[in-house]
Amino acid sequence: MTGEATATTTVRRPPWVWPLALLLVAAAAAPLVLYWLGNVDDQRLVDLDVYRTGGQALLEGRPVYDFVTPAPQLLPFTYPPVAAMLAVPLAMMSWPVAQWVWTAGIFVTLAVTVAYAFRAALGRLATGRAAAGLAAPGSGVPGGGGPDGAASGRGAQGGAAPSRTAAPTEGRWGGLWLPAVFAVLMVACTYLMPIRDQVRFGQVDILLVALCLADCVARRPVWPRGLLIGLATAVKLTPGVFLIYLLITGFGPGGRPEQRRAFFMAAFTAALLTLLPFLVIPSDAADFWFHALLDPERLGANAATTNQSMRGMLIRLYLPDAPTSLLWLALVAAVGWYGFRHARRAFLDGHAMTGVALTGLMAVLLSPVAWIHHLAWVVVVLGALAGDGRDPVRVRVAAGVWLYYVVPVPWWGVAIKAAEIPVLSPVLGKIVQNGFGLGALVLVWLLASWLPRRRETFRPLA
C-alpha cells in the first residue's frame, strides 16, 4: 500500500449496451462492405486475391513469384515468402468464404487499433474519471495511464495518482457513453479513405498497424514485446521502421531497457521468419530477395496517383531519373532524421502514442512506394492528436485531419489536371494530386512540433 487515495469508480452498464454499439457499427459499415463485396468479381478485393494466389502457388508447387492472379488483373505476388506461407489457409478457403473472413478481420483489427489509439479518451469514459483523465485496470480499455494513453516513457514510470474521486454521475454516464463513443470512433475511422481502401482491395495494412501499435503501447502484453513488430516486418517490410523506433528509444541517453529487449525480440523474430522460407521453400525465398524485391514496378505504376510516398510525389514531377533519385534520398534523410528524432523525444517524454504515430508516418513517407491504403496510420495519428479529449483545440484539429482524409483529395487533383486550365491545372492540379502525401508531411510537423507546444499551453484543471 502506498497510502495515496484512489479514484476508482465502479462502472456498471446494461448488458445490451455493447451489443447495440456493435450493431450500430455493423449497420453503418454495411453499405461500404456490401458495395465492395458486391463489385464485379474481377474487381473485388484484388489484393486479397494476390495473397490467396501466393498460398495457392505453394499448394500447387508452382513458383510463387511467377504466379499471377487471373485476368484481367494479372497481379503478381509482391510480399516476402513467409507471407505466402501464412496465406495458405486463405487459399484453402473458397473465394466467397475468404472474402467474408478477411473483411471481418479488417474490422476486428480496426477495432483493436481504435481501442488503443483512443484509449486516453475512452479510459476517461470507462472509469468515470473525466477530471483525472486516467484509465484503471479492468476498465475495458487497453492500457491507460500516461498523458497519451500510452504505457511507456516517463509518464508510465509511476508517481502518485490524482486523488479525486469521481462523482456517481460520471460513472453512470461513463457506463452508457463508452460503447457509444467507441462506436462513433469506429464508424468515423471506417470511412477514412485509407480504411475504405482496406475493404475495397482486401488489404493487410490495418492488421500490420494493429500489430505494431499493440506491441508498442500494451501495458501488460501476454506476448514477448517485440514479437508482433517482428512478425509484421517479416510479412511486409515497411513495418521495419519500428525496429528503428525500438532501437533509438532503447539505446542512447535516457534509453529504456524494455525497449532494448523489445528490439532484440523484434529483430530475432523478423530474422527467424525471414530465414525460415530458405529451409522450406528455398527457391522462392531466393527469387524474392535477389530478384522480385529489386523490381519496384512489380508493385504497380510508381507514378500513379495512389503512390503518395515522397518518391511518388517526386516521380510525378517527371524530372530526369538521376535528379529525382538524389532529391528523394536527401528528403528521406531529412524527414527521417526529423521524424525519428521527435518520435524518440515523444516516447521519452511519456507520449508513446505520438511516437508510434510519427513512426507509422515514416513508414509511408520514406518508402519508395506507399499506396493510399498504407495511410491507415492516420487512425493512430487521430488518437495522438485528440489525446484524452479535454483540449477542445486538439479535438478540433483531429476532426479537421479526419475530414481531410475522408474526402478523395488526390483524385480532385487528377480532375483539376484533366480540366487543362492554363497555369491552374498543371500547378494546382499537381499539388492537390499529392494531397495525402503532403498532408502526411504536415501531420509529422503537427505531431513533432505543434503538439508538444499545445500540451504546454493547455493545462486542464485537476
Side-chain angles (χ1 to χ4, degrees):
M1 294 293 292
T2 60
E4 69 257 13
T6 63
T8 302
T9 301
T10 301
V11 178
R12 296 179 181 178
R13 58 182 62 92
W16 49 264
V17 174
W18 274 111
L20 178 60
L22 296 177
L23 182 62
L24 291 174
V25 172
L32 177 69
V33 172
L34 294 177
Y35 179 81
W36 289 118
L37 266 67
N39 203 2
V40 293
D41 190 61
D42 61 20
Q43 299 291 324
R44 189 186 312 153
L45 277 68
V46 294
D47 287 326
L48 174 60
D49 201 16
V50 170
Y51 309 150
R52 293 180 74 248
T53 295
Q56 185 180 352
L58 291 182
L59 290 174
E60 297 179 1
R62 300 188 186 187
V64 170
Y65 298 97
D66 292 341
F67 208 45
V68 295
T69 59
Q73 296 294 337
L74 301 176
L75 298 174
F77 191 80
T78 59
Y79 299 87
V82 72
M85 296 169 62
L86 294 173
V88 168
L90 290 171
M92 297 174 68
M93 300 177 190
S94 68
W95 179 225
V97 169
Q99 292 174 65
W100 282 104
V101 168
W102 191 260
T103 301
I106 287 173
F107 284 97
V108 169
T109 51
L110 177 61
V112 171
T113 303
V114 168
Y116 276 116
F118 292 92
R119 72 176 173 190
L122 293 172
R124 295 174 61 225
L125 294 171
T127 62
R129 296 192 293 179
L134 298 173
S139 66
V141 177
D148 244 349
S152 36
R154 191 166 59 212
Q157 300 305 309
S163 59
R164 172 185 170 95
T165 300
T169 302
E170 290 176 337
R172 183 162 63 251
W173 280 111
L176 295 175
W177 280 106
L178 172 61
V181 171
F182 179 78
V184 169
L185 291 171
M186 274 290 295
V187 174
C189 290
T190 294
Y191 281 90
L192 289 163
M193 191 171 181
I195 304 301
R196 297 201 306 271
D197 277 0
Q198 304 293 312
V199 180
R200 176 185 179 184
F201 297 115
Q203 256 292 334
V204 72
D205 296 286
I206 193 62
L207 169 61
L208 303 178
V209 170
L211 290 174
C212 295
L213 179 60
D215 218 357
C216 287
V217 303
R219 293 184 67 189
R220 300 178 184 88
V222 297
W223 62 89
R225 198 183 295 275
L227 178 69
L228 302 186
I229 289 174
L231 172 61
T233 302
V235 167
K236 190 172 183 176
L237 302 179
T238 51
V241 293
F242 280 90
L243 291 173
I244 300 175
Y245 174 71
L246 293 176
L247 181 67
I248 62 177
T249 55
F251 293 87
R256 308 288 191 212
E258 67 273 15
Q259 295 295 95
R260 291 196 288 273
R261 292 191 294 270
F263 168 76
F264 289 125
M265 174 55 68
F268 171 76
T269 303
L272 179 65
L273 293 177
T274 298
L275 294 174
L276 179 62
F278 281 98
L279 300 177
V280 181
I281 45 172
S283 60
D284 290 317
D287 195 14
F288 174 78
W289 289 104
F290 302 115
H291 299 287
L293 180 62
L294 305 179
D295 180 10
E297 293 301 323
R298 283 181 65 92
L299 301 173
N302 288 193
T305 300
T306 49
N307 182 9
Q308 292 288 312
S309 69
M310 292 192 299
R311 179 172 173 269
M313 291 187 280
L314 290 173
I315 289 174
R316 285 190 289 275
L317 294 175
Y318 297 104
L319 300 173
D321 289 346
T324 297
S325 296
L326 290 174
L327 186 55
W328 175 59
L329 291 174
L331 285 173
V332 165
V335 173
W337 174 82
Y338 181 81
F340 284 119
R341 173 172 170 261
H342 285 280
R344 183 180 194 272
R345 177 177 296 174
F347 173 83
L348 295 181
D349 286 345
H351 304 290
M353 199 69 69
T354 302
V356 172
L358 279 166
T359 305
L361 290 173
M362 293 299 101
V364 175
L365 290 167
L366 306 186
S367 174
V369 177
W371 309 123
I372 288 173
H373 51 74
H374 292 176
L375 278 159
W377 285 103
V378 170
V379 176
V380 185
V381 172
L382 293 175
L385 287 173
D388 62 14
R390 288 182 292 176
D391 184 349
V393 173
R394 289 178 61 178
V395 172
R396 287 196 291 269
V397 169
V401 171
W402 171 81
L403 181 60
Y404 185 80
Y405 280 95
V406 165
V407 295
V409 173
W411 301 110
W412 293 350
V414 173
I416 294 171
K417 290 174 64 178
E420 297 184 351
I421 302 171
V423 182
L424 182 68
S425 288
V427 178
L428 180 62
K430 196 171 292 291
I431 293 172
V432 177
Q433 185 185 19
N434 296 331
F436 280 179
L438 294 174
L441 288 169
V442 173
L443 292 181
V444 171
W445 173 80
L446 279 173
L447 293 168
S449 299
W450 177 83
L451 187 55
R453 292 197 299 269
R454 182 61 198 173
R455 290 192 188 104
E456 292 297 320
T457 302
F458 180 77
R459 296 292 186 180
L461 295 176

